[in-house]
Amino acid sequence: MELTLMEGNEAIAWGALAAGCNFFAGYPITPATTIYNTMLKLLPPKGGICLQGEDEIASIGFCLGAAMAGMKAMTATSGPGISLYSEQISFAIGSEIPIVIVDVQRLGPSTGSATKGADGDIQFMQWGNSGGLPVIVLAPVDIKDCYELTVKAFNLAERFRCPVFVAANKEISMTRETFCLDDLALPPIVERRQADARTPYLPFEIKDNGTVPDFLPIGGDRLVRQTSSTHGANGYITTDPDEIAAMQARLNLKIARSVAEFTYFDEYLVPDADTLVIAYGVTARASKEAAKRLQQRGQPVSLLVLKTLWPVPEILIKEKAAAYQHVLVPEMNLGQYIRELQRLLPDKKISFVGQMNGELIKPGQIMEVFAHG
Amino acid sequence: MASLLNASRPAVFCPGCSHDRVLHALDQALTGMGYTGKDVAIVTDIGCSGLFDTFFNTHAFHGLHGRALTYATGIKLARPDLKVIVTMGDGGLGIGGAHVLSTCRRNIDLTLLVLNNFNYGMTGGQCSSTTPQDAVVGSGFLNKLEKPIDICQVAGAAGAGQVSRASTYQKDLVARLQTAITFEGFSLVDIWGICPGRYTRRNKLTPKSIEQSQTQLPALTDFQALNARMEYGKAYREQAAKLSQPPDPVRIKVTCQAPRTGRTEVVILGSAGQRIITAGELLCLAGASAGCHATQKNDYPITVMKGHSVSEVILADTTIEYTGIEDPSVVIALAPEGVNRRQKMLAALSSDSVVIKAAGLELPPSDAVVVEVDFKAHKIRSQDWTLAALAVMARKTQALTMDMLTAALKLRFKKAVYDTAMAITQKIVAC
Ligand code: SF4
């Protein structure tokens, strides 16, 4: 076994490259800056483009333009930058522009603490857009996930023509870690479906009972229209309530209906446990350590690690939690994803371990819940 | 050449709106230059001028308010052969000011047409960044308090490759647009016009008065000469072509054996400039050379050259789950800045922990075994203390071996630095 040592952020950049990313733009912000640094080393020598925008709004704007011209684009920032991205994210959702957005979460609110970790943007990533349509959010647990989930994020962005978030955390992104490149399980690369060259092209037309319009690049041989306004299949403004409703329903359905196909998770289920810990991100690691130690103490506890956070993998959660009386949710925030679990599992006793102090939740803090029964 | 205007979508501007004239002038300019629809992308902003793309049979991109230049930049870099025209009102100019300045500085090959009618037409005639102070607009007295911007002067000062001021009504508008479109770099045309829907209901503005006002303005500097340089995309590709390919991630061969199994936590406490982070990385590489997994978390203030520097390293022969420090096997303490950050941890150390500390450094009392090293007496410079401490660690603890450290140094440094580093480790081992 040969190990490779790198930072989570570097693994995200290498994952992007492996996925075919050829356009990156970002504005430096701790703890996401090293993604930009790495992309700047990787892309230009390979014919790709890496830009430093004058601000976050420009950075994601470059990406949206490039994505519509056919490139595979990624941007990376932290909470303050996601706030500035917000309107552009809404645009990418409504106008079906593929883009990968990395949110290396840091302790908020606002400027908060640049070098402290948190998972404080978990609801924000989903709901920080106007219109309230679903987005896809994947959350890495470790460096291997940083690589693999970034590849998957690109595949999903291409397939569904939508923004896909990688919900990292300073504690994963700026932690150096060893992993084995040969252990990576990378999926085949997905490219957005190109329109048939023989038929007339309408940029938002849906064919064959599908939910995602075929793509043609701006600048190609056939004319392409893109617009942030409410549009019909032809890419022109529409005021027809039926056409508008159908488009909104489709934007909702295309993501929501397919979540089973990209429900990424790990599970460590042990017999005789009456508690299921449901965790994500870096806190899944303390949870796993806690579960191990509790097992040694004769207190078996099961663990479900969610790597797809949005849309909420409801079927998986209900199925996995069915056998347990008690669900424990540790989060590096004051209680965000737990809201989804409370909604899905109304008949379970759900407990919470959370903190927002810039520190990792320790295995001991999770074990304490069991000490008190 | 056939018109690029979309016959089935005639323009819907108010009667007498200057936008309508610019629309036709742009069509004539493009067709006169032989462009077809697929050669051109029209990127529009928000407001009445943001309707431009819908009237053309070209590639079209209509985005958010003030951000048109950002999309246009992405499109142009992705498709260098495409002619990219951006239309924006004086509203977009104000809200997207940062992008205007940066696009000027970049000199990317875009043509920006500012359809300047001195107010926000679409939202009810409020003041914009170009509204005269004596105008009567939909913002009450507010425009009296703000000086209008002369975008030509601003753009030129910001480095725009070509800047020109025009009136919607001048006879050679088509030729002026063609000059801008032909220019290889960023060109901006500030086109003054009349908004009968809003602005001229309460203000007097005529083609004649526009012409008069423009002639009264001081002539623009020859920005084209002043800001002459290579177009951004071209320059970018030229620079990129000179870069060498990035090296693949390093695969670390297992060349030695770890002195023990299980999890080893090491904390290095120092100050900026002591190469604490590098030492942490060396430990990780040393671990990987012995087939161990490693994690490294660092803690330092944003002022990288001052204050504390702390590195937390975990080595383990199994997967590392929790990356925090719970029970350090070894603490290397080299400066009070770092020590102050971990007082609680130091006080709680058990007799299983070893602390390697610089002579004279004060630590809170604990049960740990303390190894004091007088680096100064060994004539080791402060920035090399960490490396020397790692050598002490290899000799005095069960957490690291000299073979592992040597392998790490080989991985991390080129020959010359490696030799110096090895000499330092030998200096301390010899004593
Ligand atoms: S409101 Fe003014 S700018 Fe808008 S279409 Fe009418 S005249 Fe033209």
Side-chain angles (χ1 to χ4, degrees):
Chain A
M1 178 187 63
E2 290 175 345
L3 291 171
T4 293
L5 177 71
M6 61 170 79
E7 224 186 50
N9 277 344
E10 292 175 90
I12 288 170
W14 281 99
L17 193 71
C21 172
N22 52 8
F23 193 97
F24 178 92
Y27 184 86
I29 180 171
T30 307
T33 308
T34 42
I35 298 176
Y36 159 60
N37 293 347
T38 311
M39 292 311 272
L40 192 53
K41 275 189 211 125
L42 298 184
L43 287 186
K46 295 184 188 297
I49 289 165
C50 177
L51 294 181
Q52 177 180 316
E54 52 272 19
D55 57 21
E56 284 85 350
I57 300 173
S59 301
I60 187 170
F62 298 158
C63 289
L64 297 183
M68 280 312 299
M71 298 188 92
K72 282 190 169 183
M74 179 168 88
T75 184
T77 188
S78 189
I82 297 291
S83 306
L84 292 172
Y85 285 180
S86 173
E87 195 187 1
Q88 303 271 35
I89 293 168
S90 309
F91 179 22
I93 295 170
S95 303
E96 306 184 73
I97 309 177
I99 180 173
V100 173
I101 302 168
V102 186
D103 179 5
V104 183
Q105 297 169 88
R106 69 189 216 187
L107 188 77
S110 186
T111 304
S113 306
T115 58
K116 301 272 181 215
D119 283 324
D121 305 345
I122 293 302
Q123 292 281 350
F124 184 41
M125 278 180 262
Q126 165 55 76
W127 302 116
N129 64 77
S130 56
L133 287 163
V135 297
I136 299 173
V137 179
L138 307 180
V141 164
D142 55 19
I143 188 146
K144 195 161 160 272
D145 278 347
C146 285
Y147 201 118
E148 291 175 352
L149 288 182
T150 303
V151 177
K152 289 174 178 164
F154 269 97
N155 280 354
L156 292 169
E158 291 291 308
R159 180 172 158 205
F160 295 105
R161 290 189 56 177
C162 65
V164 178
F165 286 91
V166 175
N169 175 324
K170 177 263 163 187
E171 289 290 351
I172 299 166
S173 275
M174 288 187 70
T175 297
R176 272 203 190 106
E177 192 168 358
T178 50
F179 71 118
C180 180
L181 287 165
D182 300 327
D183 285 351
L184 292 171
L186 300 181
I189 300 307
V190 175
E191 306 287 348
R192 61 197 82 160
R193 207 171 84 164
Q194 301 276 320
D196 187 335
R198 291 159 305 186
T199 51
Y201 181 63
L202 294 177
F204 297 98
E205 187 185 21
I206 298 302
K207 289 184 183 150
D208 316 323
N209 281 327
T211 50
V212 184
D214 289 346
F215 181 86
L216 281 179
I218 284 183
D221 282 342
R222 272 186 298 164
L223 300 186
V224 175
R225 284 192 52 73
Q226 177 55 285
T227 177
S228 55
S229 298
T230 307
H231 49 268
N234 58 10
Y236 288 100
I237 290 182
T238 179
T239 52
D240 175 355
D242 293 338
E243 197 176 19
I244 294 171
M247 187 202 59
Q248 300 275 348
R250 179 175 66 72
L251 290 175
N252 187 35
L253 190 72
K254 75 168 179 180
I255 308 290
R257 153 178 112 170
S258 303
V259 64
E261 294 166 49
F262 55 86
T263 297
Y264 305 119
F265 67 99
D266 280 336
E267 58 185 340
Y268 307 93
L269 307 181
V270 291
D272 305 325
D274 74 348
T275 300
L276 176 68
V277 178
I278 302 182
Y280 61 87
V282 73
T283 309
R285 301 172 73 146
S287 305
K288 202 170 159 198
E289 187 67 42
K292 252 191 229 167
R293 291 182 200 170
L294 286 163
Q295 173 85 10
Q296 282 162 8
R297 254 173 37 183
Q299 281 182 288
V301 173
S302 289
L303 171 64
L304 175 64
V305 177
L306 298 177
K307 297 188 181 181
T308 301
L309 295 183
W310 299 100
V312 178
E314 300 190 354
I315 296 171
L316 174 90
I317 291 168
K318 282 187 187 161
E319 183 192 307
K320 297 294 174 191
Y324 300 89
Q325 311 286 318
H326 180 195
V327 170
L328 174 65
V329 187
E331 292 188 80
M332 278 178 81
N333 54 50
L334 299 183
Q336 295 201 11
Y337 206 71
I338 192 173
R339 300 163 67 99
E340 307 306 315
L341 301 172
Q342 283 163 336
R343 168 174 74 74
L344 287 172
L345 309 168
D347 54 347
K348 310 276 178 209
K349 179 178 171 234
I350 301 183
S351 342
F352 179 67
V353 174
Q355 75 183 13
M356 273 291 263
N357 62 358
E359 307 240 304
L360 289 171
I361 294 175
K362 297 181 181 68
Q365 288 173 274
I366 295 164
M367 292 168 71
E368 239 170 67
V369 177
F370 297 89
H372 305 309
Chain B
M1 207 59 206
S3 165
L4 291 176
L5 290 174
N6 186 342
S8 58
R9 291 183 179 271
V12 292
F13 300 115
C14 300
C17 176
S18 57
H19 291 0
D20 200 59
R21 278 173 172 259
V22 178
L23 185 79
H24 286 93
L26 178 59
D27 178 45
Q28 283 167 37
L30 289 169
T31 52
M33 294 168 83
Y35 287 113
T36 64
K38 67 180 172 55
D39 303 327
V40 177
I42 296 190
V43 181
T44 61
D45 210 78
I46 295 289
C48 298
S49 66
L51 296 169
F52 260 56
D53 63 285
T54 61
F55 306 132
F56 279 98
N57 272 323
T58 62
H59 290 288
F61 192 113
H62 174 64
L64 308 179
H65 198 14
R67 318 304 168 198
L69 287 168
T70 73
Y71 316 119
T73 299
I75 291 169
K76 183 67 189 180
L77 285 168
R79 301 256 162 189
D81 295 336
L82 196 62
K83 215 8 116 184
V84 184
I85 316 276
V86 182
T87 65
M88 184 185 281
D90 35 306
L93 194 66
I95 192 173
H99 312 309
V100 176
L101 293 183
S102 298
T103 312
C104 293
R105 291 183 50 228
R106 262 179 226 117
N107 194 36
I108 186 161
D109 187 13
L110 304 172
T111 307
L112 172 63
L113 308 183
V114 179
L115 283 85
N116 187 355
N117 59 17
F118 314 101
N119 79 143
Y120 296 174
M122 197 175 257
T123 53
Q126 293 84 0
C127 63
S128 75
S129 57
T130 63
T131 307
Q133 283 174 286
D134 57 2
V136 181
V137 289
S139 307
F141 64 90
L142 297 175
N143 64 296
K144 298 191 197 325
L145 312 179
E146 293 181 354
K147 200 170 144 50
I149 204 169
D150 180 346
I151 191 56
C152 293
Q153 299 291 3
V154 172
Q162 191 189 70
V163 178
S164 70
R165 185 161 18 233
S167 161
T168 303
Y169 310 98
Q170 69 188 62
K171 288 203 187 66
D172 63 343
L173 182 63
V174 172
R176 291 287 290 280
L177 295 182
Q178 286 178 334
T179 306
I181 293 167
T182 310
F183 180 72
E184 198 193 356
F186 182 60
S187 56
L188 180 152
V189 193
D190 179 18
I191 311 170
W192 294 19
I194 295 170
C195 164
R198 303 289 187 187
Y199 191 75
T200 51
R201 287 181 175 210
R202 291 188 280 187
N203 299 281
K204 197 164 158 44
L205 193 67
T206 62
K208 188 112 201 110
S209 70
I210 288 176
E211 195 190 320
Q212 270 168 0
S213 307
Q214 290 195 342
T215 43
Q216 274 160 23
L217 286 170
L220 289 174
T221 313
D222 184 0
F223 289 120
Q224 192 163 334
L226 192 69
N227 296 331
R229 63 203 189 276
M230 195 186 283
E231 190 272 328
Y232 183 87
K234 207 171 176 182
Y236 190 103
R237 290 184 289 276
E238 205 177 279
Q239 289 290 328
K242 289 187 211 155
L243 300 171
S244 48
Q245 290 299 317
D248 282 335
V250 176
R251 291 162 183 261
I252 303 164
K253 290 207 171 10
V254 178
T255 53
C256 40
Q257 214 182 346
R260 67 174 179 200
T261 58
R263 175 177 167 119
T264 302
E265 298 180 357
V266 183
V267 181
I268 313 173
L269 305 171
S271 62
Q274 285 189 310
R275 301 178 179 165
I276 303 292
I277 312 298
T278 308
E281 186 186 355
L282 284 170
L283 266 180
C284 291
L285 294 172
S289 301
C292 288
H293 291 276
T295 64
Q296 180 189 12
K297 264 160 56 97
N298 303 316
D299 170 12
Y300 47 85
I302 41 167
T303 51
V304 286
M305 288 174 72
K306 202 169 158 57
H308 69 279
S309 182
V310 172
S311 190
E312 300 177 343
V313 173
I314 299 166
L315 304 180
D317 54 353
T318 53
T319 313
I320 297 167
E321 301 298 348
Y322 180 60
T323 53
I325 297 291
E326 293 182 294
D327 181 15
S329 310
V330 179
V331 177
I332 296 174
L334 301 177
E337 289 92 333
V339 168
N340 287 338
R341 287 269 149 178
R342 293 293 187 277
Q343 291 282 354
K344 265 193 240 166
M345 178 201 80
L346 287 163
L349 291 176
S350 74
S351 56
D352 295 336
S353 305
V354 178
V355 179
I356 299 166
K357 79 171 192 83
L361 190 63
E362 290 219 24
L363 300 182
S366 75
D367 297 336
V369 178
V370 178
V371 178
E372 183 162 294
V373 187
D374 192 345
F375 297 107
K376 281 183 195 149
H378 288 93
K379 298 205 166 50
I380 295 173
R381 299 174 311 165
S382 141
Q383 66 263 41
D384 295 329
W385 287 10
T386 359
L387 180 58
L390 290 180
V392 174
M393 181 175 156
R395 204 168 55 142
K396 300 265 187 186
T397 74
Q398 281 300 304
L400 182 72
T401 66
M402 237 359 250
D403 280 353
M404 287 165 72
L405 182 56
T406 309
L409 291 169
K410 244 182 219 156
L411 281 164
R412 181 65 175 74
F413 297 123
K414 295 211 172 76
K415 179 86 173 75
V417 182
Y418 167 80
D419 288 342
T420 326
M422 282 306 287
I424 292 161
T425 64
Q426 276 146 13
K427 220 190 241 182
I428 203 88
V429 174
C431 65

